[in-house]
Structure formats: structure tokens, C-alpha cells
Amino acid sequence: MGLFDKLAGWLGLKKKEVNVLCLGLDNSGKTTIINQLKPSNAQTQDIVPTIGFNIEKFKTSSLSFTVFDMSGQGRYRNLWEHYYKEGQAIIFVIDSADKLRMVVAKEELDTLLNHPDVKHRRIPILFFANKMDVREALSSVKVSQLLCLENIKDKPWHICASDALRGEGLQEGVDWLQDQIRTLRT
Amino acid sequence: MSSSADVSGEASKWLDAHYDPVANLYTFTSCVDLADLGGDGENKLVIGDLGDGSCGMKLKVYRGTALVSESTLLDLPTGLVSFLMDLHEPRIPAVAVASGPFIYVYKNLRPYFKFTLPGLEVNALEQDVWRQAREGQIDPLALKELLEGVRDTADVPLSARSLRYLALEREDMQEFVSLHKAQPVRRQTVITCIGTLRKSTADEDGVSCLVIGAESSDVYILDPEAFTILSKLSLPSAPTMMDVTGQFDVEFRITVACRNGNIYILRRESTKPKYCIELSSHPVGLVRVGKNVVVGCAEEQLQGFTQKGKKLWTASLPAPITTMAAMDLPTRGFQAVLVGLANCEVHLYREKNLVSVIKTPDVVTGLRFGRYGREDGALVMTTKGGGLAVKILKRTATFDERDGAPGPPPAQSVRLNVPKKTKLYVDQTLREREHAAAMHRAFQMDLSRVRLAAAKAYVKALEAGLTPVSARPSVPLKMNAVVQGLGPAFKLTLNVQNTAACRPILNLTVSFLYDVGLYSMRTPYFRIPLLVPGPVYPFETLVECTSDKGISDVIKVFVLHDGKTAPLLTAHINMPVSEGLALT
Ligand SMILES: Nc1nc2c(ncn2[C@@H]2O[C@H](COP(=O)(O)OP(=O)(O)OP(=O)(O)O)[C@@H](O)[C@H]2O)c(=O)[nH]1
Ligand SMILES: [Mg+2]
């Protein structure tokens, strides 16, 4: 770290870096959510299914986030676990209109929570019950029931209903995540 | 999101995505398909619902867990397939529903085209009889008689109209004749099964022809866009189930299970079957796995055949088959056969090995494995009671070839490394075979000799008192001797036991006989005190080997009874070679 960076850090000009993993099934809206969180001049217009993963950056009032936007397609899901070690927080996105695959989302979440790199860490998890704008979408309460989130006892978690197309609900979630990371650090 | 009963182990393979026991869905595998009807990458479930068999027939479409569209069908569906009929963008598949002699084609879930199977040849005599009726030359009774005559003699069967007429009561005849006489006589067949065949490319999104099996024992291949008959193939019997593979313009193969209990294989080059598989019982399910055909038989069996009809294997099932479907998961290179059974189970067979058993809350009548919604490994099941269940294969699921498969343990099929028969072995075997009687005789002779020799030696030993067991019943004694030590000093222990029931033995003496040049004994002679019956008495004595030549000898032990010259017992002790040197 250069002298300037150090100085900036002391003065509170330089923000703390946090690595966040963005996980969830394919088509749940991970890329759309992250795109919304980026500054408007960095946003892309057309979002295509992610291949492998992408690294994106965005900032909040006090933190600088580096997000690993993983692909949710079945054949890429085995990549997720290679990044668990680096992740200091997890964003788990659920398509709340996809009732059929809620069991698959639960299965992947359970696999994630039982992974040795995650299991014993107090790593904050933010859930987005996305696509709340879709008519047949389930409520965030229903989603948390189906995923049995109440069983997560040793990690701080939070669920928000969101509409990534219009950016609704995203700020609430990110504010929670920022608070969690700050309390963990101090 | 209710969970059905699962056998342990299955929970690690299948996720319960959906179960609605009252979906009011009555259908069979042939009327269930999965297709991307919206063109949005999300597959829908298309079902031809048979209703209660006489009304309520519907074409239903499910998206995820919800029914999204329903349209009435005019007749009972016998088969339903989705197929791409043209190259227009977006590439949305059409749905073909077969019922009676018709195929109703739906595009975007709206009726688009109706195809009718060509009529069959009508009996000329029958036609003539109806002409006479039309012209008023014969009355209804005469018409009936004439038609009966035609029915019994002609080789072309009567039309449905004439058959119905023959079944009428006398008072209804006049009305029937006046109602129908103006129309020409037609003979119509019905569709029994339907499939699809790619036209010219093997691509997933290639345009496909419809392949139809008809009750008239014919198979028709239709052009995808114009619905003209491209090819007509004939079978010896009415087809009931069909599997189609290949491309119409290149090479194709249609495997058909027929009502006569045989399976025929049709190829592009001929309109007649190329191969025939004769089964021992009627086929109730037909699935192709790669190049092989798996047939479910009425006698609760699953049989595998090559594409040329050679039988590969047979597997027994615990219950009658209700339906069968293929499970093909190309992303994982997994192919297997799903078999719905009457005992509320769905078995998954890979070749002849049972790799998974799914317990279902009801008997499964419709099965389809494929991409549903955005999930590639979805298993859709409809049940007898009108239920709908969807299971999803876990990403991490693995199928163990052996698990649950009944039959011999794997070790049994491991080949042993048996060496080849040598010439010596063969010669010996031949010799034994030729001279068996002589060899047996020689053996018996030698055996008798051995017995005689043994008996002689025994008698002699008894007479001389040479045995370590006393032969005299009045003084039953047993003795053994133990030598301890490496030399030159040895310890000799005699264990003497009185084996009488209650009488003690008195007046016994032990004497040793040995080569005095070799050994010296401290007590070569001693008396034995009274021996109580039962316990073993150890008597110890020390022997010293006085020679340093490294040789050994036998020491004889006699147990003597006062007043008798012959010893009671004799024992020979083979002394070990002294390993140490005597201290001189
Ligand atoms: N209606 C609605 N659609 C959304 C919402 N969020 C995302 N989508 C749509 O869902 C589709 C998938 O979004 P992506 O962001 O590519 O999903 P992803 O999770 O990144 O998918 P993978 O990269 O394949 O893992 C896109 O067509 C989005 O427009 C939402 O809140 N509401
Ligand atoms: Mg993405």
C-alpha cells in the first residue's frame, strides 16, 4: 500500500474493500441486481446469461464491494465452492416466481451452508426474493419458509423482496449488508 | 411442495419439486410432452387429458406448478407430440394431438390444421347394395340380408356404417337408411400411435415429420409443412407403440410394437419390416436407449434387444408395468429407462441393472423425463387418481450400478484365473477313466492290508504292554511323557493318570531303560504312590546326556506292577540331541 493510499485510509477517503459472492440459480436475476447496484454510467443495457463468472465492483457510502457474479447454470454451479474462502459476504438471489425450482434453490443453499469453507464462519448472507413484480411471485416470507431460513442460527441473514428491473428493494438489502460487515470488522 | 414417501437413498437423488394429488389429470405417457411453447427457454408441460373417457377431454398446458392453458378436445386423444414444423422465427414448436382418424395441429396453442387419414378401400359389393337401397330397389330388411351376406363372404371388411346398420333394431332401420343412403360409403381407420422424425438434419431444432401408426396396420410419414403423405409403410399387425429415430431424408428406423405381440423394425429402404422380434408375452412398453430397444412385457419382465432384434438381457420386475419412458440426460451422458409399476413405484433401469426406485403415492400412468421449466433433469409423473408430481434429479446425484439390484453378488461374476489343463492332467484323467475298476480294486486291496497290519501291531502292542495306555481292565492307567531342556541336562516329566471310576491303584513302580553310555539318570527307578482316580500326577526326573558326540537315543519307560513280570505300560521317549556340552 502506497503512502497516499495509507493517508487516504486514515482520512477516511479510501473505502474498505469487501469481497462478496453473488449466488443463486440461473435466471434468478443475479447479474441484473448487480448491474443495478453499479453507478448508472457503468450499467449495461442487455444482460445475457453469465458464463462461468464475472467480477464487478460498486461502492456504498463506506465500503467498496468486489462482487463475484457467478453463473447459476447447473453445469457451472460446481465453480461456486472455489470462491467461498475469499468471500466475506454472500448475496443469494432467488427467483420468487419459479416455484418449481424452489427445492433446487434450497438444495444449493443447504450445500453452500454445509461447505467446510462456510459452515463455521459468521459470514453474513443477504437473500433477495427477486422478481416480486411478477404476478405469481411468492412473498419473501413464503420464500424464507420454503428455504427454511429460520434454521440458519450461526450467521446473520436478511431477506428482501426485490424487483431488479426497477431496482426496488435492492438498497435496503445492501444497507443491511454494509451494517453487518462494519459490525463484524469492529 | 409436499414430499412423497421416499426410500432411503432416493432422497439423495431426487428432489420433490411439486405434487398435486388432485390435479384432475387423467392421461398416459403417450399424451404427455415437454416443449418450449413460449419460445422463452422455459419448457412447458403439454398434456392430452382423457377426462373421464367420454367427456372432459382437454389439451392442458402447465408452466411450472400452475395450469396456464386449457382447451377442449373433440375426441379422446391417443397420442400427443410437439414438433417443429417450419423454420419461422421464433422457433416455437407446434403440438399435434391424434384422436380417431384425425390429427389436430395447434400452433401457439390455437387450432391450426386438421389432418385426416386417407380412407380405406370399400367393398364393391357393399357399395352396390347401398346404391340399390338409395334407388329404392330393396327394402331395409333385404338390405340387411344382403349386407350380412357380404360380411360373411368378402375379404374386404364392411364399413363402420354397415356394421352399425346390422346392429340396429328393425324399427330403427328405415330411419337410418333414409338418413345415410345419400352419402357415399366410406371406410375409415383410426390412429393408434404417433411419433416424430427429423426431416433432414439431426439438429435439436430441425424440422420434424409426423409418423403415425394406424389401426389398418399402416405407418404413415407426413410432410411437416404440407401434411402430405411422404411415405406409407405396412406392418403385419396393428401398431400400438412406436419409437422413431434418424432422419427421413437420410436414414431412419421405426421400431413398432404390434398388437400381435411382435416388434417390427422398419427401415428407410423398404416399406416392409426389416427385422422382427417375437416376444413370449405382449409388449406393454417400448423405449429406445441409444441403439438398443428395451421392451416391457406383460409377464412382468423387461427385455433388452439390439437394433437388429437380438436379445441382450432380461430383468424381472416385482409388479406389472403401467408405463415406460426414456431418461436421457445428455449433459451427464446418462441414459436409462423409467418403468412405472402397478405397486406404486417407478424403477429406473440402466441396462438390466436397477439403479433407483422411486416410491409414488399412487400408481403412475404417465411418465416423461426431460427439461421442464429451466430444469434439465425433471421427471413428470401423472397418476391413476388424477395427480401430478414433478421430481428433479439432484445435480450431485450419482447412480450406483449395483445398488438395490437384486441378483448374484458382484464377486460371483469375477472370473477366476484357472490355469489351463496340462497334457499330464489330461493323460491322467484318461487313464483314470479307462482303468477305474482296476484302480479301485487295487486300492481296496491295499486298504485291507493296511488295516490288517494295523490290527496286528495293535494286538502285539497290547500283548507286550508296549502302549502308553494300560490294556488291563483291573489297572486302567494312562501316561505321557514330556522332555524339557536343551541339554546336556534334561527334565523328564511323566504324567500318569488313573482312569478308573473310583478305585485307587497301589504298588506301582517306574523303571527306565537307557543306554548308559549316553545318559545318566539320577533316579532310574522309583515307586509311584497311591493313585487316586482322576488327577494327573506329574513325576519328574532328571536325565543328563554324557556324550558330546551330538547323538541321541530312545529312553524306554516301564510302569510295573508288583508281582507281575510284564509291564503295565511302556513308553518310548525320543530324546532330543543335546545342544549344550556337559561340564567336565
Ligand atoms: N420480471 C422480472 N424479471 C427480472 C428481474 N430480475 C431479473 N429479471 C430477468 O430475469 C432474466 C435473468 O436475469 P439474469 O440477471 O441474467 O439472471 P442470472 O441470475 O444472472 O442468471 P445466470 O447468469 O444464468 O446465472 C433476465 O431476463 C432479467 O431481465 C425482476 O426483478 N423482475
Ligand atoms: Mg448472470
Side-chain angles (χ1 to χ4, degrees):
Chain A
M1 207 187 265
L3 182 63
F4 179 77
D5 285 346
K6 267 187 193 158
L7 204 63
W10 290 326
L11 293 173
L13 294 175
K14 178 137 180 25
K15 297 177 178 179
K16 285 176 186 165
E17 298 265 351
V18 198
N19 289 334
V20 181
L21 302 182
C22 189
L23 308 173
L25 302 189
D26 49 303
N27 200 51
S28 54
K30 299 178 291 293
T31 309
T32 317
I33 288 176
I34 291 161
N35 192 48
Q36 281 285 350
L37 295 172
K38 288 198 290 189
S40 46
N41 55 4
Q43 288 180 4
T44 54
Q45 283 314 306
D46 44 60
I47 288 168
V48 292
T50 311
I51 306 292
F53 69 95
N54 289 325
I55 295 178
E56 305 285 352
K57 284 182 197 288
F58 69 89
K59 290 189 170 76
T60 60
S61 54
S62 64
L63 297 173
S64 167
F65 285 95
T66 302
V67 188
F68 292 76
D69 174 17
M70 309 299 295
S71 168
Q73 289 173 48
R75 66 190 130 153
Y76 294 120
R77 274 179 227 157
N78 53 6
L79 287 181
W80 294 4
E81 62 182 25
H82 299 294
Y83 299 89
Y84 291 168
K85 268 210 182 80
E86 283 126 76
Q88 290 150 296
I90 291 171
I91 298 177
F92 197 93
V93 185
I94 301 118
D95 176 351
S96 37
D98 191 353
K99 288 176 216 165
L100 190 74
R101 289 206 299 167
M102 214 46 89
V103 270
V104 184
K106 178 175 190 309
E107 173 73 15
E108 296 297 351
L109 175 64
D110 290 347
T111 313
L112 159 75
L113 292 175
N114 285 316
H115 192 277
D117 290 348
V118 175
K119 194 166 180 160
H120 301 294
R121 286 168 63 199
R122 261 191 75 80
I123 175 169
I125 309 179
L126 169 62
F127 294 93
F128 278 120
N130 195 31
K131 305 202 185 179
M132 67 173 184
D133 55 305
V134 179
R135 196 158 44 89
E136 62 264 34
L138 299 167
S139 69
S140 60
V141 176
K142 188 77 192 153
V143 170
S144 70
Q145 259 175 22
L146 290 175
L147 297 185
C148 302
L149 298 188
E150 72 276 7
N151 292 346
I152 307 177
K153 300 273 198 283
D154 58 344
K155 293 178 184 50
W157 61 269
H158 184 71
I159 185 163
C160 299
S162 66
D163 170 359
L165 293 186
R166 278 181 287 160
E168 280 169 31
L170 301 183
Q171 201 50 52
E172 178 202 331
V174 173
D175 287 348
W176 175 85
L177 198 61
Q178 175 173 282
D179 285 351
Q180 286 301 319
I181 292 166
R182 279 198 304 210
T183 52
L184 276 186
R185 293 211 162 181
T186 52
Chain B
M1 221 99 346
S2 53
S3 64
S4 56
D6 250 339
V7 265
S8 65
E10 288 318 297
S12 64
K13 293 174 189 145
W14 299 95
L15 297 168
D16 286 306
H18 178 62
Y19 177 51
D20 180 2
V22 288
N24 195 25
L25 209 54
Y26 301 92
T27 190
F28 301 107
T29 301
S30 57
C31 293
V32 182
D33 206 358
L34 294 162
D36 183 6
L37 297 183
D40 53 3
E42 195 178 335
N43 271 16
K44 313 292 184 296
L45 172 63
V46 204
I47 291 178
D49 188 342
L50 283 81
D52 62 7
S54 53
C55 62
M57 290 85 78
K58 288 200 169 82
L59 176 65
K60 292 182 173 172
V61 180
Y62 280 82
R63 178 171 173 271
T65 57
L67 178 67
V68 290
S69 149
E70 216 178 29
S71 41
T72 304
L73 292 175
L74 297 176
D75 204 351
L76 274 182
T78 53
L80 177 150
V81 286
S82 67
F83 68 113
L84 282 164
M85 53 181 284
D86 50 38
L87 290 164
H88 299 321
E89 292 287 341
R91 307 296 313 278
I92 294 179
V95 176
V97 182
S99 56
F102 310 111
I103 289 177
Y104 299 94
V105 180
Y106 292 79
K107 251 186 137 178
N108 292 316
L109 291 175
R110 275 189 290 274
Y112 172 78
F113 186 78
K114 176 178 163 185
F115 170 82
T116 312
L117 274 182
L120 301 175
E121 179 199 350
V122 180
N123 193 315
L125 284 172
E126 182 190 359
Q127 228 157 1
D128 193 51
V129 170
W130 276 102
R131 185 189 51 76
Q132 288 174 31
R134 187 171 64 232
E135 289 164 5
Q137 292 165 357
I138 50 171
D139 64 353
L141 271 183
L143 175 64
K144 185 179 177 202
E145 256 168 50
L146 285 169
L147 283 176
E148 271 167 354
V150 174
R151 181 186 63 186
D152 297 342
T153 53
D155 39 334
V156 177
L158 289 183
S159 66
R161 182 215 287 189
S162 300
L163 290 173
R164 247 175 76 200
Y165 181 73
L166 290 181
L168 287 180
E169 296 297 331
R170 177 180 288 194
E171 57 270 24
D172 303 325
M173 285 182 177
Q174 184 64 56
E175 196 193 333
F176 189 88
V177 173
S178 42
L179 192 67
H180 291 282
K181 67 182 177 190
Q183 280 121 40
V185 184
R186 276 214 191 90
R187 204 155 66 85
Q188 191 58 271
T189 183
V190 293
I191 299 171
T192 55
C193 50
I194 185 168
T196 58
L197 171 63
R198 298 256 151 69
K199 181 78 171 43
S200 46
T201 66
D203 301 347
E204 266 297 295
D205 60 350
V207 169
S208 291
C209 306
L210 289 180
V211 183
I212 331 171
E215 190 62 49
S216 58
S217 308
D218 293 314
V219 171
Y220 298 93
I221 302 178
L222 305 186
D223 181 81
E225 240 170 328
F227 294 100
T228 51
I229 294 172
L230 292 175
S231 176
K232 180 184 166 188
L233 315 161
S234 19
L235 292 164
S237 170
T240 56
M241 286 169 293
M242 196 159 66
D243 177 83
V244 191
T245 168
Q247 295 110 53
F248 179 77
D249 292 337
V250 188
E251 168 64 59
F252 63 82
R253 184 181 291 268
I254 306 176
T255 313
V256 203
C258 286
R259 201 157 288 146
N260 63 0
N262 291 350
I263 288 176
Y264 298 97
I265 296 162
L266 294 159
R267 301 268 303 265
R268 185 172 193 269
E269 57 264 32
S270 159
T271 59
K272 291 260 179 287
K274 172 120 182 159
Y275 304 104
C276 168
I277 305 171
E278 288 182 11
L279 299 169
S280 50
S281 66
H282 271 264
V284 290
L286 176 76
V287 168
R288 184 179 42 83
V289 180
K291 286 192 161 177
N292 295 340
V293 181
V294 178
V295 182
C297 292
E299 59 187 6
E300 302 180 14
Q301 270 192 352
L302 210 59
Q303 303 188 342
F305 296 92
T306 64
Q307 57 179 351
K308 290 192 172 147
K310 186 169 161 281
K311 183 141 149 198
L312 294 172
W313 49 264
T314 303
S316 295
L317 301 167
I321 300 173
T322 53
T323 188
M324 280 171 58
M327 172 166 167
D328 191 1
L329 203 56
T331 49
R332 282 192 236 168
F334 184 84
Q335 285 190 316
V337 178
L338 290 153
V339 187
L341 298 176
N343 65 351
C344 295
E345 286 180 350
V346 175
H347 284 198
L348 184 65
Y349 279 87
R350 199 165 168 185
E351 297 273 275
K352 66 177 192 181
N353 301 310
L354 176 64
V355 292
S356 172
V357 176
I358 303 167
K359 293 238 196 279
T360 53
D362 190 4
V363 177
V364 169
T365 56
L367 270 177
R368 180 70 62 181
F369 182 90
R371 181 175 165 91
Y372 184 34
R374 295 186 171 271
E375 194 57 52
D376 285 325
L379 173 61
V380 177
M381 301 183 276
T382 65
T383 66
K384 201 173 172 183
L388 171 68
V390 183
K391 288 195 182 254
I392 291 177
L393 186 67
K394 280 196 191 181
R395 180 166 64 88
T396 50
T398 50
F399 291 99
D400 189 354
E401 281 292 282
R402 283 152 298 153
D403 88 339
Q412 196 166 311
S413 50
V414 175
R415 280 184 71 95
L416 293 176
N417 185 17
V418 180
K420 270 190 149 168
K421 287 181 190 137
T422 59
K423 181 162 184 314
L424 185 67
Y425 173 84
V426 175
D427 290 350
Q428 185 74 3
T429 315
L430 281 176
R431 200 168 67 82
E432 281 177 14
R433 208 185 294 159
E434 278 162 22
H435 307 288
M439 287 167 87
H440 179 71
R441 235 175 283 128
F443 171 76
Q444 288 297 331
M445 172 101 96
D446 289 348
L447 185 63
S448 308
R449 283 207 185 119
V450 167
R451 282 182 183 151
L452 180 64
K456 272 186 187 158
Y458 185 60
V459 169
K460 195 174 151 210
L462 286 181
E463 280 170 352
L466 286 171
T467 50
V469 179
S470 157
R472 226 163 294 168
S474 56
V475 266
L477 269 185
K478 218 166 102 179
M479 179 180 76
N480 68 57
V482 179
V483 185
Q484 288 170 312
L486 295 170
F490 297 98
K491 187 160 91 179
L492 245 179
T493 309
L494 300 178
N495 294 306
V496 185
Q497 190 186 12
N498 176 1
T499 56
C502 52
R503 226 155 27 112
I505 302 176
L506 285 160
N507 302 328
L508 291 181
T509 319
V510 173
S511 162
F512 295 93
L513 185 67
Y514 56 90
D515 185 347
V516 286
L518 267 180
Y519 298 103
S520 78
M521 275 182 116
R522 194 146 333 142
T523 47
Y525 171 87
F526 58 86
R527 290 193 69 81
I528 294 182
L530 177 136
L531 292 181
V532 182
V536 176
Y537 292 83
F539 300 105
E540 292 171 357
T541 176
L542 292 171
V543 183
E544 191 135 348
C545 180
T546 52
S547 156
D548 55 359
K549 301 205 174 64
I551 50 171
S552 67
D553 194 18
V554 173
I555 297 182
K556 293 178 184 170
V557 190
F558 303 102
V559 179
L560 308 160
H561 199 249
D562 281 6
K564 300 262 167 51
T565 45
L568 272 178
L569 295 177
T570 309
H572 290 203
I573 302 169
N574 284 311
M575 294 301 289
V577 176
S578 166
E579 306 206 352
L581 285 179
L583 292 171
T584 45

